[in-house]
Amino acid sequence: RRAKLLKTKGIYFLYRVLQACALPALLLYFVCRGLGNRGYWRSLPERFGFLPHSFRQTGPGAIWLHAVSMGEVLACLEFARGMRAEFPHSRLFVSTSTLAGRATAEQKLGAIADGVFFAPVDYVFAVRRVLRALQPALVVVAETEIWPNLFREVRRTGAGLAMVNGRISDRALPRYLGLGRVFPLLRTALAAVDTLLAQTEEMRQRFLALGAERVAVGGNLKYDFAARVADAGSPVVQLIERARPAKVWIAASTMADERVDEDDVVIAAWRQMRGVFLMLVPRKPERFDVVAGKLDAAGIAYVRRSRLSADGDGAVPPLVLLLDSIGELGGLFGLADCVFMGGTLAARGGHNILEPALFGKAVIVGPHMENFAEVAD
């Protein structure tokens, strides 16, 4: 047992040495991202563990839910509501890692959570600062966010550690297995998890192969949602009513890789149509201006959601809407006749098609649905 303890300490020591060497590169990354989007500058204090004073707890008992990005936040909506109902006297804090995830969490969970913040980078000093502030009794991590220092420090505080909606994609599995053989930190980190709820039995076996010890099948949280139709007073609804199109086509969560830019494909396809209203929805906020530039270059009349008023201006509306907003798309699927889901022509593993399917809409995807194979089936 002593030998195992020494080995574990050695593994974590090596990890921290590597982290110290990588710190300049991490800071340079945030500097570069901050030059393009000031949101990254504003996120830095929280990423290094400095939370608002109002988050500080005087005693243990809080719940910390981490959902890395927009997709994970949306998947955890009903789960978070369930935790709030089950533990009404426990403060609930939600962390994300991306700007889109943060915006979605504030919009969708702002009335449920006691605070939303950017998760700390996986450095001991940052993680400890957050744990001292929140004093959680339980830390819940969604899907496949495996952070060795976070997991170890949570265990040191005596708090419970759980992973929910656990999944490992076909593409990621060989990388994880290879990493685990070369550097056993992954296995050590997963062994620290008190409860891991995998989406399927296949996912359960994958986590066991990677070193997790307490794994059960909990189902897919993405199935736990209610379809909420957009309000009739929504500016988007009123725009479509004024346009009176023959059909409405939503191109959702479009992305790009080195081989294909889905926005280019969508624009080219729409130009061959007649009387079809296109709602173009880039996946990431940093692409909003890029896609607007593509529409301008193509000479296509369009309107941005951010510049759309509820009353309209009385002019004949264009047949293209660039939805440059966060968290609004789910309720708009009910307006569509057909939905193309992005991340499927570009090799991005796909996105969740359950919401448009629940509205009974025809759904088009490309060949890449690896991250949602069960949903696609």
Side-chain angles (χ1 to χ4, degrees):
R1 183 176 180 180
R2 180 178 176 82
K4 183 178 180 181
L5 181 61
L6 289 173
K7 181 180 179 181
T8 299
K9 287 184 176 180
I11 292 171
Y12 276 94
F13 176 76
L14 178 58
Y15 178 55
R16 291 173 187 177
V17 169
L18 294 174
Q19 283 188 305
C21 296
L23 184 57
L26 178 65
L27 293 174
L28 180 61
Y29 168 80
F30 282 121
V31 168
C32 293
R33 296 304 298 266
L35 293 175
N37 190 326
R38 292 184 179 179
Y40 282 93
W41 291 119
R42 292 190 291 270
S43 75
L44 282 180
E46 292 182 359
R47 293 186 192 275
F48 285 94
F50 295 96
L51 301 185
H53 185 74
S54 61
F55 285 30
R56 295 189 173 275
Q57 303 301 294
T58 57
I63 299 172
W64 173 8
L65 170 64
H66 175 60
V68 60
S69 189
M70 180 169 60
E72 288 78 11
V73 171
L74 294 174
C76 288
L77 290 181
E78 296 303 322
F79 176 71
R81 293 187 180 106
M83 283 199 297
R84 170 54 68 206
E86 186 72 17
F87 306 104
H89 303 297
S90 297
R91 301 197 78 188
L92 173 64
F93 296 93
V94 178
S95 67
T96 70
S97 296
T98 68
L99 300 183
R102 170 68 175 267
T104 304
E106 288 178 337
Q107 182 184 54
K108 299 291 187 179
L109 293 174
I112 299 174
D114 294 281
V116 177
F117 64 99
F118 285 105
V121 292
D122 196 44
Y123 283 77
V124 171
F125 67 87
V127 170
R128 285 180 178 175
R129 191 173 286 124
V130 172
L131 290 172
R132 283 196 297 267
L134 299 184
Q135 297 191 50
L138 173 65
V139 177
V140 183
V141 178
E143 300 206 6
T144 323
E145 288 289 291
I146 304 170
W147 295 108
N149 283 332
L150 172 63
F151 286 17
R152 192 182 195 205
E153 294 304 317
V154 169
R155 290 299 299 271
R156 280 185 168 182
T157 66
L161 176 61
M163 293 182 70
V164 298
N165 216 39
R167 70 176 181 89
I168 298 174
S169 67
D170 294 343
R171 189 167 67 174
L173 181 61
R175 294 201 302 268
Y176 279 123
L177 290 172
L179 179 63
R181 284 190 289 266
V182 175
F183 195 43
L185 187 63
L186 180 67
R187 181 175 294 272
T188 303
L190 282 172
V193 179
D194 295 302
T195 299
L196 197 160
L197 298 179
Q199 293 182 8
T200 64
E201 176 60 29
E202 181 182 17
M203 296 300 167
R204 175 178 175 273
Q205 294 299 327
R206 291 181 179 184
F207 277 107
L208 289 172
L210 292 175
E213 296 177 356
R214 293 164 288 275
V215 190
V217 177
N220 191 339
L221 292 182
K222 287 183 169 64
Y223 290 116
D224 298 333
F225 70 91
R228 293 176 172 84
V229 182
D231 187 88
S234 163
V236 177
V237 175
Q238 294 183 6
L239 174 69
I240 294 176
E241 288 178 348
R242 288 193 295 119
R244 303 180 67 179
K247 299 288 182 182
V248 176
W249 176 33
I250 294 179
S253 298
T254 53
M255 303 184 74
D257 62 10
E258 61 281 353
R259 184 182 59 85
V260 60
D261 186 316
E262 292 177 339
D263 296 297
D264 290 337
V265 176
V266 168
I267 291 171
W270 177 82
R271 297 186 76 167
Q272 300 179 50
M273 302 176 187
R274 295 291 181 269
V276 173
F277 186 96
L278 169 63
M279 191 184 305
L280 183 53
V281 193
R283 176 70 174 181
K284 297 184 177 181
E286 51 262 38
R287 286 187 58 83
F288 291 162
D289 290 339
V290 174
V291 178
K294 291 177 181 291
L295 292 168
D296 287 330
I300 295 174
Y302 69 98
V303 63
R304 295 180 69 143
R305 171 64 179 90
S306 58
R307 300 172 186 171
L308 191 62
S309 66
D311 299 329
D313 56 10
V316 178
L319 286 175
V320 176
L321 171 68
L322 175 58
L323 193 72
D324 56 350
S325 63
I326 298 295
E328 190 175 15
L329 176 61
L332 299 174
F333 283 127
L335 305 175
D337 294 285
C338 182
V339 174
F340 162 68
M341 186 58 69
T344 61
L345 292 176
R348 299 298 186 183
H351 298 302
N352 189 8
I353 59 174
L354 284 173
E355 283 185 300
L358 188 61
F359 278 111
K361 306 305 177 179
V363 180
I364 299 172
V365 298
H368 297 288
M369 281 290 285
E370 296 89 348
N371 293 343
F372 296 87
E374 179 192 11
V375 173
D377 290 341

